[in-house]
Amino acid sequence: MKLTNRNLVTIDDVSNDEMEALFCLADDMANSLDSQYGLCQGKIMASLFFEPSTRTRLSFEAAMLRLGGRVISAVDVGATSLAKGESIADMARVVGSYADVIVIRHPWEGAARVVADYAGVPVINAGDGGHEHPTQTLCDLYTIRKQRRTLKALRIALWGDLRHGRTIHSLIYALARLGASILFCPGPGLELPEHVLRRLSTEYKGELRRCANLNQGPERELFPIDAVYITPSSPHQLAMLPDISVRVELKAGVDALYVTRLQKERQAPTVEQQELKKKYPVVDKELLKGKEFAKTLVMHPLPRVDELACEVDSDPRSMYFKQAAYGIPVRMALIAILLGTRDVAISREYNSFAQKVEHPVYKRDSGVKCCNTNCVSNQETETKYMRPEFRIVSSEPLTLRCIYCEHELHAKYVASSDWHQGKLENKKYHSANSHWARKIKPGNLIIFASEDEAQAQQFKPSSYVTR
Ligand code: NCD
């Protein structure tokens, strides 16, 4: 299996086994950093960072330089033609003709996918809004694998801003695929987005248990757990027990506590946000005294603000500066693999773990739009050439997931493209939840955002329209 010329837009673009192969190469490279020079000689990496970055950008650039390649960069939208109203697709075509690989960070969710669609060279997503940050996940898992020697049967607690943290989203999908048990410890109002939860249970066939009542108990002070997720590949009795068993689960200890900062740039600055800052959970020496954390790796993608006390830095369980340092060998391995300057042998070590389920694609000019205003498909510069595109992830209720940002919407009105056999009077639309609508084959489905839109396209209401 070859990874050459592939994109890394979401963590699902690499399988568990490919990830393991990449980690083996990263080990090799870490052990002989200086002898990697020349591997990418003559190659150019474009480093496009349209949001602040220290670790990700500098480690990508240092990785390419250590491989003997060269770097061209743009770090400010204002200094590029995007500021003049150029589309991301045009920028991608142009940069793709200058560089052999593109690394992009952009504030719009789905921007990296658009770049990958148009660049013609491998594209690496270095963070697209609050969506995903797959290479951070590679660094995170590499760190755990280094410490624990395996990525099997992990128990991980995710802490902080689970709603807006893109590192969390990529990590969670990878952990689910690896059969980990995951505990969620969100700040108030910062629980995982519904669409991420749904993906965990539908695509990775996991079992999700909400344990909201735990938040009221005395444990709240110690460890604010909200939910636990268990994959079927590591079934255990917890799935059958009432919520109280989550405490038992926690008492058995966690392999890693993954802390994240409040992503304040992804929320409107309000009075509530000021309040939230005060209530944001903090990881400090006191919390880590708990028996359940005796062997826990304390992780953080960095930068940290106040959620992780500096007093933890000298604790041998703290891993965050190692995570950042591993960015070099991990990103060197990734660049070399994508550019085809190093091949890797793919084992079948993690082959038996959950793999993603594919859903049918919906792509029509019917006017149904993604509901996320920060999605690339909703931006004025992009709508000129791009059609919204969705995956049909459920038929009851009819649910579409945007292929760019993965937010979901429930369709209200539908019709069949197989409608009239030439007869205009048969051109009818139906409520999406009617039994008639469910008979429409995915390939024939037309979805409307509203009745007005259906009527604007000359469809008339059928008797299966309920209001
Ligand atoms: C993260 C990011 O940019 O999403 N940082 C990083 O890449 N290491 C996390 C964050 O900014 O909180």
Side-chain angles (χ1 to χ4, degrees):
M1 198 183 301
K2 279 226 168 222
L3 285 158
T4 314
N5 285 330
R6 294 239 298 261
N7 301 307
L8 182 62
V9 172
T10 85
I11 195 65
D12 276 341
D13 289 334
V14 276
S15 71
N16 295 344
D17 289 328
E18 288 165 346
M19 224 154 51
E20 178 58 23
L22 187 145
F23 293 156
C24 291
L25 179 58
D27 281 341
D28 278 0
M29 289 184 158
N31 291 334
S32 54
L33 219 50
D34 292 341
S35 50
Q36 306 307 321
Y37 193 85
L39 208 54
C40 288
Q41 203 154 18
K43 302 282 185 189
I44 294 180
M45 180 182 90
S47 161
L48 310 176
F49 277 77
F50 302 134
E51 267 194 344
S53 173
T54 304
R55 276 149 292 273
T56 309
R57 178 164 79 88
L58 296 183
S59 65
F60 260 117
E61 295 185 1
M64 189 53 165
L65 296 176
R66 285 196 176 272
L67 291 166
R70 290 171 189 232
V71 179
I72 52 174
S73 60
V75 292
D76 174 15
V77 170
T80 72
S81 287
L82 292 178
K84 300 178 189 170
E86 183 170 52
S87 69
I88 290 190
D90 283 1
M91 178 204 65
R93 286 189 184 104
V94 172
V95 179
S97 69
Y98 300 159
D100 301 290
V101 57
I102 297 177
V103 181
I104 172 120
R105 170 171 289 190
H106 196 284
W108 293 339
E109 279 120 42
R113 177 171 299 281
V114 178
V115 177
D117 286 347
Y118 288 89
V121 296
V123 170
I124 303 171
N125 180 6
D128 56 336
H131 179 220
E132 281 214 39
H133 188 351
T135 64
Q136 181 61 47
T137 296
L138 295 179
C139 298
D140 301 337
L141 292 179
Y142 185 72
T143 308
I144 299 174
R145 180 181 167 279
K146 276 276 204 216
Q147 301 299 317
R148 293 275 181 267
R149 305 265 152 230
T150 179
L151 293 173
K152 291 178 185 165
L154 294 173
R155 296 142 66 87
I156 310 284
L158 304 178
W159 182 280
D161 191 347
L162 311 192
R163 176 160 295 274
H164 307 99
R166 56 195 175 196
T167 61
I168 289 280
H169 303 154
S170 294
L171 180 60
I172 225 164
Y173 298 138
L175 288 174
R177 269 177 16 200
L178 289 163
S181 292
I182 312 169
L183 300 167
F184 303 136
C185 318
L190 298 169
E191 295 79 14
L192 275 179
E194 276 304 312
H195 66 273
V196 176
L197 285 175
R198 261 183 52 86
R199 252 189 87 175
L200 286 178
S201 53
T202 57
E203 230 136 273
Y204 305 98
K205 302 281 176 251
E207 178 171 345
L208 185 72
R209 294 181 57 81
R210 284 172 178 262
C211 306
N213 60 347
L214 269 186
N215 281 345
Q216 265 75 63
E219 287 75 10
R220 176 75 185 138
E221 304 309 317
L222 175 70
F223 201 78
I225 303 172
D226 241 31
V228 63
Y229 164 73
I230 307 137
T231 68
S233 48
S234 60
H236 52 70
Q237 52 183 359
L238 186 60
M240 271 93 71
L241 293 174
D243 293 347
I244 192 89
S245 58
V246 177
R247 293 173 205 168
V248 179
E249 170 82 353
L250 175 62
K251 287 278 182 296
V254 284
D255 292 297
L257 177 58
Y258 192 90
V259 189
T260 56
R261 75 181 167 92
L262 175 66
Q263 305 279 304
K264 65 175 186 338
E265 68 274 36
R266 311 215 185 280
Q267 302 161 63
T270 54
V271 184
E272 289 88 62
Q273 207 194 80
Q274 288 305 319
E275 281 306 301
L276 192 60
K277 254 175 135 178
K278 285 186 217 146
K279 291 188 202 143
Y280 202 78
V282 176
V283 171
D284 54 17
K285 264 190 166 167
E286 192 52 37
L287 180 107
L288 295 173
K289 273 186 192 155
K291 228 173 66 203
E292 56 275 31
F293 300 121
K295 293 189 181 143
T296 299
L297 309 175
V298 182
M299 302 181 71
H300 196 307
L302 301 178
R304 75 171 142 193
V305 189
D306 300 316
E307 67 286 346
L308 178 55
C310 296
E311 61 189 17
V312 181
D313 298 359
S314 54
D315 190 300
R317 292 168 291 181
S318 72
M319 287 295 129
Y320 27 97
F321 293 114
K322 276 196 179 149
Q323 272 166 273
Y326 289 145
I328 299 288
V330 167
R331 290 181 169 117
M332 282 172 77
L334 178 64
I335 295 168
I337 290 173
L338 296 185
L339 287 177
T341 59
R342 273 297 295 262
D343 201 5
V344 281
I346 312 285
S347 74
R348 290 277 166 262
E349 168 131 23
Y350 291 97
N351 200 31
S352 56
F353 288 90
Q355 296 294 331
K356 188 171 87 156
V357 176
E358 287 296 340
H359 299 286
V361 171
Y362 179 80
K363 186 178 182 179
R364 275 183 198 274
D365 279 324
S366 76
V368 61
K369 283 195 332 190
C370 176
C371 53
N372 171 16
T373 52
N374 201 42
C375 175
V376 68
S377 70
N378 280 325
Q379 310 307 319
E380 212 184 313
T381 45
E382 314 306 309
T383 48
K384 289 177 210 154
Y385 64 92
M386 185 197 288
R387 268 194 273 171
E389 198 172 327
F390 302 89
R391 290 197 178 275
I392 304 173
V393 293
S394 156
S395 52
E396 266 187 79
L398 183 57
T399 310
L400 304 183
R401 180 185 299 145
C402 173
I403 65 142
Y404 296 103
C405 72
E406 299 188 86
H407 280 59
E408 292 181 348
L409 62 93
H410 295 299
K412 288 217 172 66
Y413 302 102
V414 298
S416 170
S417 60
D418 196 20
W419 42 271
H420 49 141
Q421 298 151 328
K423 293 192 199 120
L424 213 59
E425 64 269 23
N426 289 346
K427 206 175 165 183
K428 299 273 173 68
Y429 66 91
H430 326 279
S431 286
N433 58 7
S434 65
H435 79 91
W436 195 255
R438 275 179 227 125
K439 287 190 183 162
I440 303 172
K441 294 194 191 106
N444 292 337
L445 200 62
I446 304 176
I447 299 173
F448 304 109
S450 64
E451 284 198 72
D452 284 351
E453 197 213 309
Q455 289 168 13
Q457 294 190 34
Q458 278 97 50
F459 284 83
K460 295 194 177 61
S462 76
S463 49
Y464 299 106
V465 171
T466 46
R467 296 182 178 100

